[in-house]
Amino acid sequence: MVLYILSVHVGPAEATFLPLSTESRWITNGYGKRVKLACINWPSHLEPVLAEGLDKQLAYSISARVRLMGFNCVRFTWPLELPLNETLGNLTVKQSFQRLGLKESLAGIEVHNPWIVDLPLMTAYEEMLAVMERKGLMVILDNHVTTPGWCCGLNDGNGFFGDEYFDPKMWIKGLMKMARMAQKFPNVIGMSLRNELRGPKSNVDDWYKHMEQGAEAVHSENPNVLVILSGMSFDKDFSFLHNRPVNISFSNKLVFELHWYSFSNGNAWKTGDSNKLCGQITASMMDSAGFLAKEKGYPIFVSEFGVDMAGKNVGDNKFLSCFMAAAAEQDWDYAVWALPGSYYFRQGTKDMDESYGLMNHNWTAVRNITTLKRINALRLPFRGPGWNRTIQHKVIFHPLTGLCVEKRPVKGPLRLMPCQMSQMWTYTANKTLEITGTHYVLGSSGKAEKMVPLTVSLPHQKATQWDMVSDSKLHLATKAEDGSELCLDVDRYGLVITNKCKCMDGGDPNCDPASQWFKLVNSTMV
């Protein structure tokens, strides 16, 4: 018999009763209602082996800010040596920082979190779980590396079973110890078995052998937690599961994790055509990993994605709009990389800045509030068990802003609004966009830079047709008066207009089509 022993608030007027399970491709609570994981990565696997940022702010303040930023869970990383190497695990926080010469960071911890300074590293890790529990945060324990340090390199000895620092037997032992420890913390809802499998020793047979053993070991020690499996090639590839399923003895606990960054495809996003790249890369990602939800009925947890928060990385900016379209359409659970604005010690550098960090360097404020708001558009479910508040319909999602097309009152202009306020749309077999349950359809003036009207669809009239065009399949296009194509677009005031379709020929890699990208997303929310 399973006891539901903790209530964690994860959204407006919603409560999650733990532990969590899976129902087909969804993660659900004790009442069978979908819980969407909206997580942030909080590293604790680098050389000091302490949750980052405790030299800058109170642990409780950081955890509270995570909630205020809209996240309901933390992916909390750990090195395998923490539970296995007693010499390391028994070092106090003070000793750990002293051995690395981190005097300034230690002084900051003594100011902001003096209670943790004399705790052994293993105890300090557990105390941070308690801090997050008190702040209502769910936690996923992620075995990031073996030896404490930055991850990940192709030949760093941490990549695959049998590597220099990756003994499968010791890994199983470490997973079991952490799973037992996690029984004390009901907010620990999942365990990610190993981060970013990679390297020259990678092979499918060993993946099945050891991942199945790891899954069974974790479940035997702690049957409450979700068991999260990573793929190969830096958590990008599960294609081998198309025809050969995982063989485990338990059910309703298995989740697969995916990582997706702009640099997952080299420099393609920096120099390539956005429409072609988005179409091709999304299709490839669906074939290598997305099929697990769509065809096999398993939840997908995008446990790492992120961008340079300065907003000046061209490749990241182009990538994020594409990612947002896919993540909204597939309604994936996710974890942003990363929380830290800085690290105590990373790759030989003290107090190193994290440009992908949501916090600024001193952890006093959000680094890029616009990007955070955009990502938060993914926080609430579009659909899933227990979220069937209305009939299934479409929302017209705008990946560049994270907003949706809204039309209230009917005589007012079409504009972008938060998706929970979105209009319900139906995309008909005749390629018209109709406000569900009415005769109003999305029209067109037939001219560029004009607001998009709603018109009444009558049996004897031909309504405006909208096609999903371009290689990205993210442009909604109709015909102009001269027969050319006009695309939905957004002006600087957030009003929806038609404009000449841009970046359609793929000849200019610097052309940015993102303002004209829209995704028709299935939803049962209003």
Side-chain angles (χ1 to χ4, degrees), residues 377-406:
L378 304 173
R379 180 173 62 90
L380 294 176
F382 286 99
R383 58 195 183 276
W387 292 92
N388 298 321
R389 297 183 178 178
T390 184
I391 60 172
Q392 181 163 296
H393 58 276
K394 302 286 188 183
V395 296
I396 307 175
F397 180 73
H398 190 239
L400 179 63
T401 59
L403 301 173
C404 289
V405 175
E406 163 67 2

Side-chain angles (χ1 to χ4, degrees), residues 147-309:
T147 302
W150 185 248
C151 182
C152 298
L154 193 62
N155 296 292
D156 60 7
N158 270 287
F160 201 74
F161 307 106
D163 276 355
E164 182 178 0
Y165 306 114
F166 196 171
D167 182 335
K169 292 181 180 179
M170 298 305 292
W171 173 68
I172 293 287
K173 185 177 179 181
L175 288 177
M176 294 176 73
K177 290 188 73 170
M178 293 297 279
R180 285 195 298 271
M181 179 274 292
Q183 291 179 347
K184 297 183 288 186
F185 301 97
N187 62 319
V188 175
I189 54 90
M191 287 188 62
S192 176
L193 301 193
R194 185 72 174 199
N195 181 67
E196 296 197 351
L197 294 172
R198 62 199 180 275
K201 290 189 176 182
S202 297
N203 69 90
V204 169
D205 288 338
D206 280 344
W207 185 94
Y208 280 98
K209 175 183 176 181
H210 297 301
M211 276 298 187
E212 289 171 353
Q213 289 175 350
E216 295 286 0
V218 167
H219 187 72
S220 68
E221 295 293 333
N222 190 339
N224 284 332
V225 296
L226 299 172
V227 178
I228 304 171
L229 306 188
S230 58
M232 295 203 288
S233 300
F234 295 87
D235 268 359
K236 293 185 299 181
D237 183 18
F238 287 101
S239 58
F240 47 92
L241 288 171
H242 271 291
N243 300 312
R244 181 180 170 185
V246 173
N247 183 17
I248 54 173
S249 64
F250 58 92
S251 59
N252 304 115
K253 288 290 182 180
L254 200 60
V255 177
F256 292 91
E257 65 176 320
L258 166 68
H259 290 183
W260 194 1
Y261 293 95
S262 69
F263 53 77
S264 300
N265 301 97
N267 291 318
W269 283 105
K270 293 181 180 179
T271 59
D273 170 65
S274 293
N275 279 318
K276 288 184 178 179
L277 282 172
C278 188
Q280 292 170 358
I281 291 173
T282 300
S284 175
M285 189 63 72
M286 290 302 296
D287 184 61
S288 62
F291 73 94
L292 288 168
K294 193 171 183 179
E295 300 173 15
K296 303 296 185 181
Y298 288 107
I300 287 181
F301 174 44
V302 185
S303 58
E304 285 189 28
F305 78 97
V307 294
D308 188 329
M309 288 293 166

